[in-house]
Amino acid sequence: MALATLNDLIKITTKNKNAVGMFNVINYEYAVAMINAAEQVNYPIMLGVPEGFVKNYYDLDTMTSLLKYLATTAKVPVAIHLDHSKTFETTVKCMRAGFTSVMFDGSALTYEENVEQTAEIVKIAHAMGVSVEGELGYVGRNGVDQIDPESFTKVEQAVDFVKRTGVDALAIAVGNLHGNYSFEPKLDFDRIKAIKEATGVGLVLHGGSGIADDDFRKAAELGIDKVNIFTEILDFGKKFTLENLPDMTFLQYSKALADAMTEVVKYRMEVFTCGRTL
Ligand SMILES: [Zn+2]
């Protein structure tokens, strides 16, 4: 199938009133496992690369070549996405490497700085055929930040932000936090619906690990187009390794982990798609 942009996928999720999953890729085995899951569910997927990985964990061109090959040979549309970039340099570098979608996270900046820097990224990205996700409101981190309705995304500001930046999608703060929740997260569904109706752009839910399946389905019906999952696959990989590695050869373990990861991603995707296929 084809390498897709976030915008291509939003057209599909808008029509189907559901969401695609974005899963961060740690290594080759995970990328293959994720593509396998997407093909089995028969729905598009987004392979995510956080800015920190580009800087600290692997060579960008090598990883992009690999992901591009997997995407173009997959049976479903696949987008290659930069997750939470806070710098102009990394964002442009990933666009040049061949990413089809980038998130520029200016949520820690002042509102005006966030508008200005995101708009600059959008101008370059759109000229290159790349989609852009911005962040408005502040999605904090479990263990560090509290749920604070004051930092939730405001409808009027979202309208202004979309108009002035031209972003294709918006990560919103609606009761979600990154990392592992120590409480049951409660999403502000009315706010999701209102932001979707007012802006018309794709909406993204970060901090998906730990949100109840039915809440995901409801959020997708009301306007969430993309859900980010990272903590869940990170934790699953660790648990699987501690439980299984002692009794296997490293080769057996690598294959078994990839197979198990396919099942984890498949389960999440089935929830996000609300049972619909391409
Ligand atoms: Zn995030």
Side-chain angles (χ1 to χ4, degrees), residues 11-18 43 221 273 276-278:
K11 280 182 195 138
I12 297 170
T13 54
T14 301
K15 188 172 76 119
N16 291 340
K17 281 191 171 293
N18 62 5
Y43 216 68
E221 292 270 337
T273 60
R276 296 179 187 96
T277 58
L278 269 180

Side-chain angles (χ1 to χ4, degrees), residues 179-199:
N180 283 309
Y181 294 91
S182 56
F183 54 92
E184 199 183 317
K186 293 214 179 321
L187 299 178
D188 186 341
F189 293 109
D190 291 341
R191 193 177 294 264
I192 293 172
K193 187 167 182 273
I195 296 171
K196 184 68 173 187
E197 283 172 3
T199 63

Side-chain angles (χ1 to χ4, degrees), residues 18-38:
N18 62 5
V20 289
M22 188 225 73
F23 304 88
N24 282 331
V25 174
I26 292 174
N27 54 26
Y28 167 76
E29 287 84 357
Y30 272 35
V32 173
M34 288 162 187
I35 301 261
N36 284 342

